[in-house]
Amino acid sequence: MFTKDRWKEILEVLTSNWFRTILTAFGVFWGIFILIVLLAAGKGLENGIRSNFGDIATNTMFMWTQGTSMAYKGLPKGRRFTFKLEDVAAIRQKVPDLRFVSPRNQLGGFNGTNNVVRGIKTGAFNVYGDYPDIINQDPMGITSGRFINQLDIEEKRKVAVIGVGVRASLYDVGEEAIGTYIRIQGVNFMVVGTYKKNSNDGNAEEIQKEIFIPFTSFSQAFNQANNVGWMAITANDNSSITQLKEQIFTVVRENQKIHPQDLRAVGHFDLFEEFNRVLGLFKAMRWIAYFVGVLVLLSGVIGVSNIMLIVVKERTKEIGIRRALGENPWSIKLQIVMESIFLTIMSGMAGISFGALVIYLINYFLASNGPVEMFVNPSVSLGVVLVALIILVVSGLLAGFIPAQSAIKIKPIEALRME
Amino acid sequence: MIEIKDLHKSYKMGSNSLHVLKGINFSVEEGELVAIMGSSGSGKSTLLNILGMLDVLDEGSYTLDGVPIKDLNETKAAQYRNKFLGFVFQSFNLINYKSAMENVALPLYYQKVGRKERQEKALKYLEQVGLREWADHLPSELSGGQKQRVAIARAMAAEPKVLLADEPTGALDSTTSYEVMDLIQKINDAGNTILIVTHEPDIADMCKRIVHLKDGVIVEDKKITQVRASQYV
Ligand SMILES: Nc1ncnc2c1ncn2[C@@H]1O[C@H](COP(=O)(O)OP(=O)(O)OP(=O)(O)O)[C@@H](O)[C@H]1O
Ligand SMILES: [Mg+2]
């Protein structure tokens, strides 16, 4: 089937009219090129968005209180309430498949008033009361010292982990921060670690300017009793927080005596849902890329089919001679289909290679000119290339099929009469 | 070798049909050299094409070497053509992008003969038609007579039972025609059965038997004493 003579013949036919062959090949080349580049661009955007989410645990939601919107059990509408540590315990106990339930308290530096003092330097920073788990939900790199641990929680130690941004505004360059004290709203805390978060998000500055202290110390120092400001809840990898969150709300409503239908009382932000929505967008984009690419490719394939029809027409007499000499019609069909597949694959490979080159150049410019927002490392996977190759083989087959059929449709005697 | 009984053939053209062969009865023994003659349009080529399985008969029967040729699908017909028949055409019908040797080797290629053996055989047949030195030339580099000799070598390469030639000398001048006939006679001397369609009486006289067609029937069928072509060459 794939003898040397077969290949020789394919090459003879395709090289007998170079100009025409190259023009034909260009259609397929262009189609596959567009497909590859579109997919790579989609991937680049996707990578950009993913890196925007950073390392943050995406199967997470944040939950806070907003005041009731319905009267219930004698309690009035519009009642303010606060999460308590008992709510956290109840959630942990009653809702399965949760990985982390982190109560958090926050002292806002966001309103601009300076709340942290060290010697003569002052600054406005967000101060969080947290459990050690939070580092898994909102990952950060510890650049020196350590993060909050369980002992800090139990002994209510006055210790703090500060961001590199905080360090830069409260300390001189090269000054040792570990072991020094900072004063947060009048209470002294000892710095035990510094962190740096990984993100190329727009507010990259802001997230390096946070201070983490043990939850229990926060409660004690700032008189929060067993109040919980808000919660960050992460589900196990094999379940989805979007599906579990209703159960969580139910537990909270029971605990806080909120009307079961009161949907406004507890506010939340479902990161997982948001993340999946964005991922869904990229899935749709990928389909569009395939759609557009395949359509462009299709016009190339029709071009190949067209040319093969012309080639067959031109060779009608030759095909008649070959059949008179006793060539099997299947062998003639195979010959034409193989010519078509060969032409498609060759031009397709050229398209893939050229696409890869363009992607390489784009990456090269991105690397040398610094990152572009929302666009990171456009690339196509080996899987995509394989899919492209399969598309090529199939389309070559389709392109050759009709011409091959027409080659043996005409009777040999009529083919021989052709001039 | 060839046995034809009551053969009819008409061509349909739109609503009316043209009855070309109207009951041909005809047989050829092994080793014969038959000339088919007749005026233009009498159905000579039609008959030869049916014998060559390039066309199908409407009525009657055709047996080739004891095998009934009937209801063949294209694959089977191709196989029979390859095994039983060699064709020589008036317009040579060489494949123009293949060298003389490749042309001669084609029928062997379709028989799936190996590359090396194919080339050896092709060269042997080119040698027989006196064109061994031209093996690597393309048809466009050959004269008419040379082309027809390559075509004959190609027709003989698969060692067919019957050689069919439709006006093999029709496009050649008389000297080259005699050269070609000389070759055909030699092939016939070796025991091969050959049928030639021709217009030219001198070519017909170089055969051993002449069949005359007129208006789709055989009007004359006679054995003759062969004129050797070698005396004119
Ligand atoms: N494919 C065809 N369709 C319609 N009519 C045809 C076809 N082939 C041949 N004919 C007709 O059949 C008749 C016989 O044709 P054929 O070619 O057998 O004649 P011929 O004896 O070989 O003539 P010539 O000596 O000119 O070659 C002619 O009238 C011709 O017009
Ligand atoms: Mg004729």
Side-chain angles (χ1 to χ4, degrees), chain A residues 417, chain B residues 11 13 18 20 38-46 167 199:
Chain A
R417 257 199 285 268
Chain B
Y11 287 112
M13 285 173 300
L18 182 67
V20 179
S39 55
S40 182
S42 56
K44 307 181 294 290
S45 298
T46 306
E167 306 196 31
H199 273 122

Side-chain angles (χ1 to χ4, degrees), chain A residues 413-414 417, chain B residues 10-13 18-21 37-49 55 90 166-167 197-199 213:
Chain A
I413 180 64
E414 277 152 25
R417 257 199 285 268
Chain B
S10 13
Y11 287 112
K12 277 153 209 71
M13 285 173 300
L18 182 67
H19 202 171
V20 179
L21 298 179
M37 294 195 70
S39 55
S40 182
S42 56
K44 307 181 294 290
S45 298
T46 306
L47 177 61
L48 205 74
N49 289 336
D55 210 344
Q90 178 175 358
D166 195 347
E167 306 196 31
V197 167
T198 182
H199 273 122
L213 274 187

Side-chain angles (χ1 to χ4, degrees), chain A residues 3-6 8-9 12 315 317-318 321-330 411-413 416, chain B residues 49 54-55 74-75 78 81-82 87 89 91 93-95 97-98 102 106-107 109-110 115 118 154:
Chain A
T3 56
K4 192 176 165 194
D5 304 86
R6 185 75 75 189
K8 189 162 169 260
E9 185 126 3
E12 268 168 359
R315 295 171 71 201
K317 174 134 192 187
E318 182 201 324
I321 298 169
R322 288 162 51 152
R323 291 172 73 186
L325 296 179
E327 180 166 16
N328 191 314
W330 284 101
K411 283 201 288 182
I413 180 64
L416 277 172
Chain B
N49 289 336
L54 292 172
D55 210 344
E74 249 314 307
T75 310
R81 281 198 289 268
N82 187 258
F87 288 97
F89 303 94
S91 53
N93 284 350
L94 297 177
I95 290 176
Y97 62 87
K98 290 187 187 291
E102 287 171 327
L106 269 182
Y109 174 47
Y110 302 143
R115 192 179 174 77
R118 224 156 62 208
R154 181 177 69 182

